[in-house]
Amino acid sequence: MFSLSHSVALTLISTGLCCTAADLRTFRVCADPNNLPFSNEAGQGLENKLAQIVAHDLSVNLQYVWFAERRGFLRHSLDVGLCDAVLGVPIDVEGALVTRPYYRSTYVTVTKPELKIASLYDSRLRNLRIGLHMIGDDYVPPGHLLAAEGLAGQIVGYSLYGAYGQADPPARLIDAVANGQVDVAIVWGPFGGYFAKKASIPLAVEPVSPTRFRMVPFTYSIGVAVRKGDVALQSAIQQVLDKECPAVRALLKEYAFPSPEEEEATPCGTSSLAVISSH
């Protein structure tokens, strides 16, 4: 899996493509300690595995700065210098310098197999209980379309963050489909794919259509963020992502991250991609 040698890492330093030698001794990553399938303190998330790949290929020590992912996460962690990078960031996020995307995903519906739903305009939704994650008092992006369609009364909200200390809070919404508390969940694809795969019964996962509502997108491209101006570190991380694209794709498959239907391959390793938006 790890293919960039120590000599190549040293070359990156000498050619100015990486950070200073002092910075390279430790690669500090801000991550949520309880946010599977992305990260947790046990190192079980996809972003944990990807951070290990980057640190290994740059011949540096990996150090986590655990920080609960809430509103203002980047502003209160990366921007103030607590860490060198944050993984899993929308590529057009403001206030940071982001690599090209290493994956692209979309919101999905999760249902029991006999009730597959892809379109958010499906007339059956008017008679179904629709589970959505909530961020504070706000529903995730597809909630805007559902509200405009007069379906607010069908929505059952589940906190994305859960109660303090509760393991894997996003899984509650997928569990609610499995145990019949809701008929359909509309959820960010990595949550849907990962937790549906682990559910007690078979569940169907379908990319939503349409891909946006008005100016609100449902499909996003994701990269690694560093502080603005840290072009050297951004370039070094990008070279690792390009080199390790097969390993990244294997991780995405292992963790069941769904991609939009038109995507036959993950974006990693490509040099020119359209910016989709933020998540």
Side-chain angles (χ1 to χ4, degrees):
M1 179 180 294
F2 306 112
S3 60
L4 196 62
S5 67
H6 288 257
S7 61
V8 175
L10 290 173
T11 300
L12 294 177
I13 299 171
S14 63
T15 57
L17 290 176
C18 198
C19 34
T20 67
D23 290 336
L24 273 182
R25 285 197 291 265
T26 300
F27 180 51
R28 300 172 303 154
V29 172
C30 283
D32 193 312
N34 183 28
N35 191 32
L36 288 179
F38 305 110
S39 62
N40 69 2
E41 281 189 286
Q44 297 171 316
L46 181 143
E47 289 169 9
N48 294 121
K49 304 292 179 61
L50 185 55
Q52 291 169 14
I53 291 174
V54 173
H56 183 282
D57 282 14
L58 294 181
S59 301
V60 296
N61 296 317
L62 174 61
Q63 176 183 321
Y64 284 106
V65 179
W66 299 115
F67 201 98
E69 190 166 338
R70 300 291 188 268
R71 291 189 187 276
F73 177 79
L74 288 180
R75 186 171 66 252
H76 297 301
S77 59
L78 183 67
D79 289 356
V80 298
L82 292 181
C83 52
D84 305 305
V86 174
L87 283 67
V89 175
I91 62 171
D92 66 346
V93 71
E94 295 182 358
L97 188 62
V98 188
T99 65
R100 295 192 301 272
Y102 58 90
Y103 79 90
R104 184 177 296 158
S105 195
T106 181
Y107 275 83
V108 297
T109 62
V110 180
T111 64
K112 293 179 180 176
E114 63 271 18
L115 181 70
K116 285 189 178 180
I117 290 180
S119 173
L120 299 183
Y121 293 113
D122 193 313
S123 61
R124 292 176 293 173
L125 290 173
R126 298 191 176 278
N127 299 308
L128 299 177
R129 295 160 296 173
I130 306 168
L132 284 183
H133 276 140
M134 298 184 68
I135 303 173
D137 295 327
D138 298 328
Y139 290 115
V140 292
H144 296 273
L145 185 155
L146 297 176
E149 288 294 296
L151 297 175
Q154 306 302 115
I155 296 175
V156 182
Y158 287 78
S159 172
L160 183 62
Y161 305 134
Y164 181 77
Q166 179 186 41
D168 303 332
R172 289 183 59 239
L173 179 49
I174 311 306
D175 292 340
V177 177
N179 63 31
Q181 290 178 326
V182 299
D183 301 302
V184 54
I186 301 172
V187 60
W188 175 229
F191 289 133
Y194 179 79
F195 288 116
K197 185 177 178 180
K198 292 180 173 294
S200 59
I201 63 171
L203 295 174
V205 179
E206 298 287 333
V208 300
S209 64
T211 59
R212 65 172 54 240
F213 175 66
R214 297 174 182 165
M215 296 301 292
V216 181
F218 303 150
T219 299
Y220 308 97
S221 295
I222 304 298
V224 179
V226 300
R227 281 183 295 279
K228 274 192 170 180
D230 201 348
V231 177
L233 182 57
Q234 179 204 36
S235 297
I237 294 172
Q238 186 63 61
Q239 289 200 21
V240 174
L241 295 178
D242 292 344
K243 186 77 172 181
E244 299 287 3
C245 189
V248 175
R249 289 178 174 169
L251 283 173
L252 294 169
K253 182 177 181 180
E254 175 187 347
Y255 282 78
F257 280 23
S259 293
E261 289 182 351
E262 69 272 14
E263 294 293 329
E264 294 183 359
T266 57
C268 68
T270 60
S271 58
S272 58
L273 286 163
V275 173
I276 293 290
S277 189
S278 62
H279 96 343

